[in-house]
Amino acid sequence: MSALHQKKIPDSAIVPASDYVIFGGTGDLSLRKIVPALFWRWLDRQLSDEFRIYLSARNVPSLDDFTNALRPFCEEALASQDDAEVEFENFLSIINLVPVNILNGEGAEALAASLKERFSPERPCIFYLAVAPSLFGASCQLIQSVGLSEPQCRLVVEKPLGSDGTSARQINDELLAVFSEEQIYRIDHYLGKETVQNLMALRFANVLFENQWTNQNIDHVQITVAEDLGVGQRAAYYDKFGALRDMVQNHLLQLLCLVAMEPPAKFQANQVRDEKLRVLRALRQTKPEDVQLGQYRDYLEELGAPSNTETYAALRCYIDNWRWAGVPFYIRTGKKLTMRASEIIITFKQSPHDIFDLADDTRTPNRLVIRLQPQEGLRLQLTSKAPGPGGMRLLPSELNLSFGDTFDQRLPDAYERLLMDTARGNQTLFMRLDEVLAAWDFVDPILKHAADTQPAIYHTSSMGPADSLFANTESDWITPVEEGAS
Ligand code: BG6
């Protein structure tokens, strides 16, 4: 046992010793996200020496070659503590590289034999399919054929889970032919972000905001997920998806759900997911004027072909229930925008009666700005008296809670939390099938409209095309504060 692992592991952080099998284990997702996340968890002592990681691929490299490929993605972790290099070696000792051909089954028996040495109902055996969705069905069949679909076995998959409702149903049918819904963990990595989870804490662990959280007090909600990078190497993949499928159907709708859902009776997987599902089912179908699509100017050049694929999408959504009747939710996302920043902005209504009656009134409405990334934090925009003489003059002011300054602690990457939850058997932050399908039910008609629509071209490093969604309102998009700006 390494010195690190002799230290006491906090009870709340413990995950059971498990076997973690990653199909596509030497591919991009595994190298960039999954294995580095496991290494961070190893450094934080959440993984014990009893944990085993199996990286499977059709052709596996030697451990040395694999280590060289992995190392650049672990640099931050390696620099985080003095003994990290030693621990990296210890971590590598729980990794096994195993050749498995998903299509003809070669290698699966050997993998199964190794797993079965420790196979028991108490020991989770997790299969993460970091392969193309076209291989999901064959992977599940193979896992079943070698006797590895027992109740303690779990399946982790990630989008794209289809490109519309019909294909999503087909893919999920393939998974459900082998695993039950309770064994399936569908990742939306936004749900693993610390600040996204904090949204639930903010709403349901504080009375302050929840009392205000209705159409009586809220004027509108804006959700922005802006990216400064373009599609780059992913152009061929991205062109088949576009912003609506790549970001809106999953990440943005999940954020909208967390803002709009009713408080569940308990913070428990199915109760949280039931409430999110109710929001998705209450979404009113958008009209063409509620949708704005754009494409950044260099996109066609990067793709090298003509295309109508949207790299920017903005929607005005309404949730037809008592709490939200009449409150527009504006959601937008785009590539090659001014900055990388994700924010949720709740704009409150003006006070019902104005006692000040000032000639020079510069008041802005109260706003709660939930900054998801980067510079995670909360800002509450208020109005204050301008200090000093001169009578009553009002100025905007801000209560600012920066998570970085307040908690002085590294925020783990989304994958770290999600991977640990699969080992713990906690599905709260994973999407249930009915949620995925309800999100497609909402997005499918928008995709039909998009197929016949020419996206508006926007300049790189702008905030997207000229807006049409706020026409005839007193509001406008609020641009997130850029990193470094105060
Ligand atoms: C992915 C999308 O799901 O999320 C990418 O496929 C996008 O296109 C990415 O860039 C954004 O994630 P994050 O965590 O960088 O905000």
Side-chain angles (χ1 to χ4, degrees):
M1 181 180 281
S2 70
L4 186 71
H5 282 75
Q6 286 164 7
K7 294 186 213 156
K8 174 146 174 45
I9 301 166
D11 290 346
S12 57
I14 285 177
V15 298
S18 315
D19 290 303
Y20 224 104
V21 186
I22 303 166
F23 280 15
T26 55
D28 207 49
L29 178 63
S30 181
L31 278 174
R32 280 173 192 277
K33 291 286 183 187
I34 306 174
V35 184
L38 291 170
F39 179 47
W40 271 113
R41 294 299 91 221
W42 172 267
L43 284 179
D44 274 356
R45 295 174 284 129
Q46 256 187 311
L47 304 189
S48 73
D49 290 357
E50 295 300 311
F51 214 89
R52 288 288 173 280
I53 300 168
Y54 291 83
L55 303 178
S56 98
R58 201 158 37 147
N59 300 307
V60 288
S62 68
L63 186 60
D64 276 353
D65 287 349
F66 174 76
T67 309
N68 290 338
L70 174 66
R71 184 173 271 282
F73 303 110
C74 294
E75 287 303 345
E76 194 192 333
L78 285 166
S80 69
Q81 56 191 58
D82 292 345
D83 56 357
E85 279 293 345
V86 177
E87 286 306 329
F88 191 55
E89 291 304 317
N90 293 330
F91 173 69
L92 291 173
S93 72
I94 66 164
I95 294 185
N96 303 282
L97 289 152
V98 282
V100 174
N101 184 325
I102 295 170
L103 291 176
N104 66 16
E106 259 170 34
E109 288 290 355
L111 169 66
S114 175
L115 289 169
K116 283 179 183 167
E117 285 170 17
R118 273 171 263 102
F119 213 54
S120 94
E122 287 74 45
R123 186 177 168 95
C125 180
I126 303 150
F127 293 93
Y128 193 131
L129 304 187
V131 292
S134 55
L135 293 174
F136 285 0
S139 304
C140 291
Q141 295 295 334
L142 188 61
I143 292 167
Q144 186 178 44
S145 72
V146 291
L148 295 173
S149 55
E150 295 301 296
Q152 74 269 27
C153 300
R154 296 172 190 153
L155 188 75
V156 185
V157 288
E158 199 164 342
K159 77 176 178 66
L161 290 172
S163 54
D164 57 14
T166 309
S167 50
R169 277 185 178 79
Q170 277 162 4
I171 291 183
N172 280 287
D173 283 350
E174 292 178 345
L175 311 183
L176 286 160
V178 174
F179 292 97
S180 69
E181 182 63 32
E182 288 65 40
Q183 292 172 289
I184 301 176
Y185 291 70
R186 296 180 192 83
I187 287 191
D188 180 318
H189 80 277
Y190 266 59
L191 294 180
K193 289 182 189 271
E194 284 280 323
T195 37
V196 174
Q197 292 165 58
N198 199 40
L199 195 54
M200 287 188 272
L202 175 79
R203 286 198 55 203
F204 305 134
N206 297 285
V207 284
L208 202 59
F209 295 116
E210 198 49 32
N211 290 340
Q212 301 292 317
W213 219 253
T214 74
N215 56 3
Q216 309 271 308
N217 307 307
I218 291 180
D219 182 73
H220 73 276
V221 175
Q222 298 189 15
I223 302 178
T224 295
V225 176
E227 297 185 271
D228 53 351
L229 298 179
V231 295
Q233 304 294 323
R234 292 169 78 219
Y237 156 85
Y238 187 89
D239 197 57
K240 293 196 216 87
F241 287 85
L244 287 165
R245 293 182 174 95
D246 187 49
M247 298 292 288
V248 173
Q249 189 273 342
N250 35 78
H251 308 325
L252 275 99
L253 287 184
Q254 286 292 321
L255 294 178
L256 179 144
C257 285
L258 295 178
V259 174
M261 69 196 253
E262 294 299 316
K266 287 234 179 309
F267 188 57
Q268 186 263 345
N270 276 333
Q271 297 207 20
V272 171
R273 300 190 296 177
D274 285 347
E275 296 304 341
K276 287 195 287 159
L277 179 64
R278 287 194 180 103
V279 174
L280 291 167
R281 289 194 172 151
L283 278 171
R284 187 191 304 169
Q285 199 50 68
T286 54
K287 301 193 177 106
E289 61 269 26
D290 297 323
V291 179
Q292 192 169 21
L293 304 174
Q295 187 185 73
Y296 64 80
R297 196 169 279 286
D298 313 333
Y299 179 73
L300 298 185
E301 211 175 296
E302 281 176 21
L303 182 69
S307 164
N308 266 354
T309 298
E310 74 289 349
T311 60
Y312 172 97
L315 307 179
R316 178 173 41 223
C317 310
Y318 288 95
I319 300 166
D320 284 333
N321 63 20
W322 272 44
R323 188 190 280 262
W324 295 115
V327 178
F329 281 68
Y330 298 91
I331 63 180
R332 67 172 165 173
T333 183
K335 302 248 181 230
K336 282 224 177 161
L337 301 184
T338 323
M339 70 195 86
R340 174 173 184 264
S342 304
E343 279 188 357
I344 298 171
I345 302 179
I346 317 288
T347 299
F348 294 90
K349 291 186 170 164
Q350 300 280 13
S351 47
H353 169 66
D354 182 14
I355 66 164
F356 292 109
D357 196 20
L358 302 175
D360 182 18
D361 195 344
T362 53
R363 260 175 294 178
T364 50
N366 291 144
R367 288 205 173 98
L368 177 66
V369 181
I370 303 162
R371 176 77 166 199
L372 302 177
Q373 63 187 22
Q375 296 168 306
E376 296 80 356
L378 293 176
R379 302 198 310 276
L380 184 59
Q381 298 178 351
L382 304 166
T383 298
S384 304
K385 178 189 174 297
M392 177 59 82
R393 286 168 299 122
L394 301 175
L395 281 183
S397 57
E398 210 168 73
L399 283 178
N400 201 335
L401 170 73
S402 147
F403 294 151
D405 295 348
T406 308
F407 298 111
D408 190 24
Q409 194 177 325
R410 169 183 175 265
L411 296 181
D413 181 74
Y415 280 86
E416 295 175 45
R417 169 65 195 259
L418 296 175
L419 295 174
M420 294 303 96
D421 279 357
T422 59
R424 284 197 197 94
N426 182 350
Q427 290 184 304
T428 311
L429 300 177
F430 296 84
M431 291 183 300
R432 208 170 53 191
L433 176 61
D434 47 10
E435 280 182 83
V436 175
L437 297 181
W440 279 120
D441 286 347
F442 175 69
V443 171
D444 273 348
I446 307 174
L447 290 170
K448 284 209 181 78
H449 162 71
D452 303 328
T453 308
Q454 187 75 36
I457 303 298
Y458 60 93
H459 286 284
T460 298
S461 301
S462 68
M463 280 308 279
D467 176 70
S468 59
L469 299 184
F470 283 96
N472 307 322
T473 75
E474 287 180 7
S475 311
D476 203 348
W477 285 113
I478 300 160
T479 306
V481 181
E482 270 198 83
E483 197 168 8
S486 57

